[in-house]
Amino acid sequence: MPAGLTLALSLAGLAATLAVAVARPPWLPEAVVAIVAASGLVAVGALNTDRAGEAVGHLAPTIGFLAALLLLADGCRRDGLFGALGDVMARGSRDSPRRLLALVFAVASGVTVTLGLDPTIVLLTPVVLATATRLRMSPKPDVYATAHLANSASLLLPISNLTNLLAFTASGLSFTRFAALMLLPTVAAIAVEWVVLNRFFAAELGRPPGHEATPAAPHLPRLSLTVLSGTLAGFLAGAPLGISPVWIATAGAAAITVPALVRRTAKAGDVVRALQPSFLVFVLGLGVIVVAASDNGLATAVRVVLPGGTSLPDLLGIAAVSAVLANLVNNLPAILIITPVAVASGPAAVLAALVGVNVGPNLTYVGSLATLLWRRLLRAEDTDVNLGEFTRLGAATVPAALAASTLLLWCGVKAGL
Amino acid sequence: MRALVWIVAETWQATVAAAAAFLPAEADVTLLYVTAADAETVARGARYALLGRSHRPAAEPLDTISEQSARRLLADAQAVLGRDAVLDARSGRIEHEVVAAAGTADLIVLARDQDYAHRGPRSLGPTARYVVDHAPCAVLLIWPDTPSG
């Protein structure tokens, strides 16, 4: 089969999988489309079975790692961690909208760094919305902060974002070196969000405090905090000892899940649902499809647009290209497409790509291919959508955060962190 | 006389106190609260960006959070008002919903919504200004706090 045709077929498979994942027709799970497309590409010879097997073998440990993190987050939810964090923020805010925003920043960044982007959006955002409305403050600055920080605070650890997890193994970095190099870029991204959101929502935040009843003292769940800090310490201590972080995550997942199963506070079915098997299969299928597309010419095309060095302009270029791609096709396929090319320039290039795909999505929230479908979905559900505000806030934060984070990444690399 | 009392979360107590003080006893009072849909929309949009994740709905649907808090706020406001009132909870673009609700009223009571600690044009934010400019009835505009200077 001619190379042009196999590339076209691979890209068609990728486009179909992404379109279904965004449109979410109830009768067609995206995992099924991903697997059918991946198998189809093997069947027509766009990818031989050995190469497909190699791709699956390469992705399998990452999928296992992801599964453990999903269980860890679900255990924290079951333990009441997110509700308790809402109480901490409510009490700590002492009726000041600005103090509440500061606490939302701390909690959203902390949850994103330790548990990842998904729990921040799915589990923490409703709590933040409920907390601000309970305190009778405008929830808009706090909800925007949570949604933005789920992306921009997800730079720090390999576990903070699935994109990091996917690029982590390829980068060849240890867990601690990844964290050391990403520390300053994460701080920079959060600082940019803080400055911009405070100015953008000055009217909401500047309103004189109301006089509502002081919320009750929070009860922080001991199990999830112990398991989380233990897992985090394990990641940092395990790296020099050569213990793979996937085992630390598995131990953490077991420590929070097994007691619940024994005490029957969770059923086996709940645990399987928390694992999101369809999502795991989707990531695997998507990974294989992207390998087919990359092998058949996509990687060559990426090499043309992606800067090849690790000078400051190169890293800024990599971050910018990655951010644009993340907005075009969503950050998951974007990092799968860029990593194999960026790896050739070394770990700094991979980290710059991660800065791009993690911070970039705040520009349009779902990426423009997706935005079309998303707006269609929104019209069905929301009649009055202020997309202009999303975009203005994205335009005010994303370029500044990308530049500041990439600059500090480059400084860190130069300083030999 | 039909009076519409539009309350917002931050200043509802002062608005309700003004309504209790100024509205005649025979007035038919409607208490209105409008939830801005935008915070929910931001939260929902962030969820759409999570490609391939489980379709399982979250434990607490986002719109019920706002609905419940609106009902609680209106109930609190009616208790402070201390008289019969129609409770009207709406959701959408706030200024449009308030002006639409004012269509059947003779008077609307509302509070300044921006820098109301100081006298001056900045005490009216874009939302309250829109309502003042577009309300088809008389307007009673109150200060939530005693302003300085």
Side-chain angles (χ1 to χ4, degrees), chain A residues 18 21-22 24-25 30 74 77 117-118 121-122 125-127 129-130 133-134 136-140 143-144 147 162 203-204 207-208 210-212 273-274 276 278-279 282 286 329-330 332-333 365-366 374 377-378 381-382 384-386 389-390, chain B residues 8-13 33 35-56 58-63 65-66 69 71-74 76-77 91-94 96-97 113-117 126-127 145:
Chain A
L18 295 180
V22 173
R24 299 191 152 182
E30 53 267 50
D74 191 61
R77 175 198 60 79
L117 163 152
D118 286 38
I121 287 174
V122 178
T125 309
V127 169
L129 179 63
T133 49
R134 176 158 55 121
R136 299 191 166 157
M137 297 177 190
S138 166
K140 214 156 64 162
V143 171
Y144 261 113
L162 177 52
E204 283 86 349
R207 282 183 195 145
H211 311 284
E212 302 297 335
R273 266 192 298 278
Q276 303 190 38
S278 148
F279 175 43
F282 170 78
L286 189 65
V329 296
N330 184 288
L332 224 50
Y365 269 108
V366 271
W374 180 51
L377 285 167
L378 277 183
E381 291 184 16
D382 293 289
D384 217 350
V385 181
N386 193 351
E389 195 173 55
F390 292 171
Chain B
V8 301
E10 291 95 336
T11 57
W12 67 274
Q13 283 139 321
Y33 178 78
T35 303
D38 38 13
E40 288 163 25
T41 308
V42 172
R44 205 173 286 132
R47 245 180 237 180
Y48 283 132
L50 296 177
L51 219 57
R53 271 69 156 195
S54 164
H55 297 204
R56 190 167 48 122
E60 195 169 12
L62 296 165
D63 38 9
I65 298 174
S66 309
S69 83
R71 273 201 299 274
R72 273 198 302 268
L73 184 60
L74 284 169
D76 288 356
S91 166
R93 186 73 69 90
I94 295 178
H96 295 173
E97 293 297 326
D113 64 344
Q114 198 157 291
D115 182 14
Y116 42 76
T127 313
D145 282 335

Side-chain angles (χ1 to χ4, degrees), chain A residues 68 72 227 230-231 234-235 243-259:
Chain A
L72 195 57
V227 171
T231 311
F235 284 136
I243 304 171
S244 169
V246 73
W247 297 117
I248 311 278
T250 308
I256 206 158
T257 309
V258 173

Side-chain angles (χ1 to χ4, degrees), chain A residues 249-346:
Chain A
T250 308
I256 206 158
T257 309
V258 173
L261 285 171
V262 171
R263 283 193 219 117
R264 294 178 191 278
T265 47
K267 296 190 198 104
D270 300 333
V271 174
V272 173
R273 266 192 298 278
L275 276 170
Q276 303 190 38
S278 148
F279 175 43
L280 301 179
V281 170
F282 170 78
V283 174
L284 195 65
L286 189 65
V288 173
I289 296 168
V290 170
V291 167
S294 294
D295 286 4
N296 285 292
L298 186 61
T300 317
V302 173
R303 242 171 248 122
V304 174
V305 287
L306 202 72
T310 53
S311 68
L312 180 58
D314 287 334
L315 294 185
L316 286 168
I318 292 170
V321 169
S322 308
V324 169
L325 193 63
N327 276 286
L328 286 174
V329 296
N330 184 288
N331 59 2
L332 224 50
I335 197 65
L336 287 169
I337 290 168
I338 290 172
T339 304
V341 179
V343 155
S345 306

Side-chain angles (χ1 to χ4, degrees), chain A residues 5 32 51 62 88 120 161 178 239 268 297 329 414:
Chain A
L5 185 58
V32 171
R51 183 78 175 111
T62 305
V88 168
T120 301
N161 197 323
F178 185 106
V329 296
K414 284 286 150 198

Side-chain angles (χ1 to χ4, degrees), chain A:
Chain A
M1 194 178 285
L5 185 58
T6 50
L7 175 61
L9 283 174
S10 312
L11 292 178
L14 180 60
T17 307
L18 295 180
V20 170
V22 173
R24 299 191 152 182
W27 44 272
L28 186 60
E30 53 267 50
V32 171
V33 180
I35 287 303
V36 168
S39 320
L41 290 172
V42 174
V44 300
L47 198 67
N48 66 41
T49 42
D50 286 352
R51 183 78 175 111
E54 191 186 307
V56 170
H58 186 71
L59 279 165
T62 305
I63 304 284
F65 203 156
L66 173 63
L69 294 174
L70 288 171
L71 280 188
L72 195 57
D74 191 61
C76 292
R77 175 198 60 79
R78 193 173 43 235
D79 203 28
L81 177 65
F82 296 94
L85 288 172
D87 293 340
V88 168
M89 292 186 283
R91 196 173 165 82
S93 72
R94 284 179 282 152
D95 265 344
S96 155
R98 209 175 288 275
R99 209 173 292 131
L100 178 64
L101 184 66
L103 286 163
V104 166
F105 259 72
V107 169
S109 304
V111 168
T112 304
V113 163
T114 51
L115 284 168
L117 163 152
D118 286 38
T120 301
I121 287 174
V122 178
L123 302 171
L124 185 64
T125 309
V127 169
V128 166
L129 179 63
T131 303
T133 49
R134 176 158 55 121
L135 294 171
R136 299 191 166 157
M137 297 177 190
S138 166
K140 214 156 64 162
D142 308 302
V143 171
Y144 261 113
T146 317
H148 263 215
L149 288 167
N151 286 317
S152 41
S154 74
L155 299 172
L156 186 61
L157 302 180
I159 55 167
S160 309
N161 197 323
L162 177 52
T163 52
N164 300 1
L165 216 51
L166 288 167
F168 172 52
T169 322
S171 76
L173 293 165
S174 71
F175 194 96
T176 38
R177 180 118 196 279
F178 185 106
L181 284 168
M182 284 302 221
L183 178 62
L184 291 176
T186 311
V187 171
I190 296 172
V192 168
E193 298 284 0
W194 175 255
V195 171
V196 173
L197 281 159
N198 264 283
R199 290 178 68 104
F200 199 89
F201 293 112
E204 283 86 349
L205 297 171
R207 282 183 195 145
H211 311 284
E212 302 297 335
T214 309
H219 295 283
L220 280 169
R222 223 172 282 161
L223 175 67
S224 45
L225 287 181
T226 311
V227 171
L228 268 186
S229 41
T231 311
L232 214 53
F235 284 136
L236 299 175
L241 300 172
I243 304 171
S244 169
V246 73
W247 297 117
I248 311 278
T250 308
I256 206 158
T257 309
V258 173
L261 285 171
V262 171
R263 283 193 219 117
R264 294 178 191 278
T265 47
K267 296 190 198 104
D270 300 333
V271 174
V272 173
R273 266 192 298 278
L275 276 170
Q276 303 190 38
S278 148
F279 175 43
L280 301 179
V281 170
F282 170 78
V283 174
L284 195 65
L286 189 65
V288 173
I289 296 168
V290 170
V291 167
S294 294
D295 286 4
N296 285 292
L298 186 61
T300 317
V302 173
R303 242 171 248 122
V304 174
V305 287
L306 202 72
T310 53
S311 68
L312 180 58
D314 287 334
L315 294 185
L316 286 168
I318 292 170
V321 169
S322 308
V324 169
L325 193 63
N327 276 286
L328 286 174
V329 296
N330 184 288
N331 59 2
L332 224 50
I335 197 65
L336 287 169
I337 290 168
I338 290 172
T339 304
V341 179
V343 155
S345 306
V350 176
L351 295 183
L354 283 174
V355 168
V357 297
N358 291 349
V359 174
N362 280 341
L363 199 59
T364 56
Y365 269 108
V366 271
S368 66
L369 152 83
T371 306
L372 288 172
L373 286 155
W374 180 51
R375 287 199 71 165
R376 196 169 61 77
L377 285 167
L378 277 183
R379 281 213 190 95
E381 291 184 16
D382 293 289
T383 47
D384 217 350
V385 181
N386 193 351
L387 273 181
E389 195 173 55
F390 292 171
T391 318
R392 267 183 292 132
L393 197 55
T397 51
V398 170
L402 278 180
S405 296
T406 312
L407 174 67
L408 287 175
L409 171 65
W410 177 79
C411 292
V413 172
K414 284 286 150 198
L417 282 178

